[in-house]
Amino acid sequence: MAFYLPLLQPHFKHIEIGDTLTSLWSGCGSIVECTLDAEPCVIKAIKIPSHINHPKIKQSEFALKRKQQSYCVEYNFYKRYSPFLPNKAKSIECVSAINSGDDYALVFKNFTKHGFAQASSLHIKAILTWLAHFHAFNLNKPATGLWQQGNYWHLSTRPDEYKKLDETLDEKSDIKNAAFKIDKTLQTSHFKTLIHGDAKLANFAASEQSEILAYDFQYVGAGVGVTDVMYFMTSCFNEEQLHKYADTHLAYYFSQFKNALKVYQPTIIADDVIAQWQELWSITWADFYRFLAGWSPTHFKINSYMMAQVNTTLANNNL
């Protein structure tokens, strides 16, 4: 019997398990289609193994606990936060979030049965609008039960990759020496919000009317909005496109953020937030580069646009 069935049985009378759509990262469970009490659903069934088998991540107790915590955070998000999100920053609908020890069953309405499909490059501006509303709605709100520092690559959660910088970077690079100052600069921003933390194109769904739903909130937590914007751009723009489109799309995000802030928190001066986050734009790129350089130094996302932002950060901050 599948491990998640005992989790479901107290909550649903009629359970029909369908196809397994995909496996979760490194054997941590699976995504399964099902019908629960006549409702088409998808289960994110999570059971973390005692050993993580990943080609680029060294098995350690630290890495295992990080992964365990990520699913606990996602569970908390769907229980405590997602039901209250505004219409322009919705997550996929969680029917039930069930937990027993380190096992989880997150049950979602099957968005493909409600007019949504995987988002594509046609939805870039719509997703930037989603991010703007998510960040404006959650500005200056506590990250209770979530990561106190959102995203999966920040310095304190990646000590192994930080140590590898000596092995993978040439002697001319000083990103390792700058890492702690970069991290502190991002952490001490006066304006913090909740960030998605893994806001890649693959984690959004869209309708024909370009309505957007987000999912995979394992790394949601406190941060600056441009961190999500930076990471999103790495998922949908190549090197040439970044040089061509990054500035205009960042400006578009800020325009949407300003409009959204008037709706959700009109007493906050949007221009003050935007000015600070604009200054942090290159720093978010340098922070992500520090992770990539230690994790996978030949990664395709390390390109001339990213390196220009890294160089700007190092030059402007005397790092």
Side-chain angles (χ1 to χ4, degrees), residues 10 16 23 32 119 123 192 196 206 216 226 260 269 280-281 284 306:
E16 298 176 33
S23 296
V32 182
H123 305 107
K192 302 285 276 296
H196 181 287
D216 278 6
V226 285
I269 301 173
L280 296 175
W281 177 242
T284 64
M306 176 179 283

Side-chain angles (χ1 to χ4, degrees), residues 165-175 177:
L165 288 175
D166 281 338
E167 305 167 17
T168 58
L169 293 181
D170 63 46
E171 61 185 7
K172 295 180 181 179
S173 175
D174 50 6
I175 191 67
N177 295 332

Side-chain angles (χ1 to χ4, degrees), residues 147-185:
W147 293 103
Q148 295 309 295
Q149 190 175 359
N151 82 46
Y152 65 81
W153 62 85
H154 62 82
L155 186 58
S156 64
T157 200
R158 293 293 179 174
D160 295 336
E161 290 79 6
Y162 176 74
K163 291 175 184 176
K164 288 181 181 178
L165 288 175
D166 281 338
E167 305 167 17
T168 58
L169 293 181
D170 63 46
E171 61 185 7
K172 295 180 181 179
S173 175
D174 50 6
I175 191 67
K176 184 171 185 178
N177 295 332
F180 284 92
K181 188 171 182 181
I182 289 170
D183 182 67
K184 185 177 180 180
T185 301

Side-chain angles (χ1 to χ4, degrees), residues 14-299:
H14 303 288
I15 301 172
E16 298 176 33
I17 302 300
D19 294 333
T20 297
L21 300 178
T22 188
S23 296
L24 297 182
W25 180 89
S26 291
C28 289
S30 53
I31 306 290
V32 182
E33 280 190 317
C34 63
T35 302
L36 302 176
D37 294 342
E39 174 70 45
C41 294
V42 172
I43 306 165
K44 186 172 185 177
I46 301 156
K47 188 177 186 68
I48 301 171
S50 58
H51 182 88
I52 295 174
N53 183 22
H54 192 282
K56 292 178 181 174
I57 295 178
K58 180 182 177 182
Q59 168 66 23
S60 68
E61 191 67 21
F62 185 89
L64 188 63
K65 287 182 177 179
R66 179 177 64 218
K67 180 52 63 175
Q68 290 171 333
Q69 181 65 16
S70 77
Y71 289 118
C72 180
V73 163
E74 185 172 38
Y75 169 82
N76 289 337
F77 177 81
Y78 284 116
K79 289 282 282 190
R80 303 180 188 178
Y81 291 85
S82 67
F84 307 105
L85 292 174
N87 286 334
K88 291 190 176 181
K90 284 288 188 184
S91 66
I92 58 175
E93 186 173 347
C94 186
V95 176
S96 188
I98 308 164
N99 164 242
S100 177
D102 288 333
D103 295 350
Y104 297 87
L106 304 179
V107 181
F108 304 104
K109 285 189 177 180
N110 190 334
F111 62 71
T112 65
K113 308 296 183 183
H114 296 274
F116 285 82
Q118 173 65 52
S120 73
S121 58
L122 298 174
H123 305 107
I124 289 173
K125 283 193 171 181
I127 293 170
L128 288 171
T129 299
W130 186 98
L131 288 171
H133 280 262
F134 186 76
H135 297 153
F137 179 77
N138 290 300
L139 190 67
N140 293 339
K141 293 183 179 178
T144 307
L146 309 178
W147 293 103
Q148 295 309 295
Q149 190 175 359
N151 82 46
Y152 65 81
W153 62 85
H154 62 82
L155 186 58
S156 64
T157 200
R158 293 293 179 174
D160 295 336
E161 290 79 6
Y162 176 74
K163 291 175 184 176
K164 288 181 181 178
L165 288 175
D166 281 338
E167 305 167 17
T168 58
L169 293 181
D170 63 46
E171 61 185 7
K172 295 180 181 179
S173 175
D174 50 6
I175 191 67
K176 184 171 185 178
N177 295 332
F180 284 92
K181 188 171 182 181
I182 289 170
D183 182 67
K184 185 177 180 180
T185 301
L186 291 170
Q187 285 201 62
T188 55
S189 170
H190 180 67
F191 297 106
K192 302 285 276 296
T193 186
L194 294 186
I195 61 172
H196 181 287
D198 192 11
K200 58 188 176 186
L201 185 60
N203 285 341
F204 293 92
S207 71
E208 289 186 359
Q209 295 75 36
S210 290
E211 299 167 289
I212 300 297
L213 301 174
Y215 49 95
D216 278 6
F217 285 89
Q218 289 173 235
Y219 297 98
V220 61
V224 296
V226 285
T227 297
D228 273 343
V229 180
M230 174 278 298
Y231 187 70
F232 175 63
M233 287 193 189
T234 70
S235 76
C236 57
F237 290 149
N238 61 28
E239 180 177 46
E240 180 182 355
Q241 291 168 328
L242 283 168
H243 284 290
K244 189 173 182 180
Y245 300 124
D247 287 350
T248 55
H249 279 71
L250 179 62
Y252 178 81
Y253 161 79
F254 281 139
S255 70
Q256 296 300 301
F257 176 80
K258 188 172 186 176
N259 292 337
L261 205 56
K262 290 176 184 176
V263 175
Y264 307 123
Q265 304 199 56
T267 60
I268 296 177
I269 301 173
D271 288 342
D272 291 347
V273 186
I274 292 169
Q276 187 172 112
W277 285 2
Q278 179 77 65
E279 290 182 359
L280 296 175
W281 177 242
S282 65
I283 295 175
T284 64
W285 286 89
D287 189 53
F288 188 48
Y289 169 68
R290 179 263 317 150
F291 162 69
L292 287 179
W295 179 62
S296 180
T298 59
H299 199 284

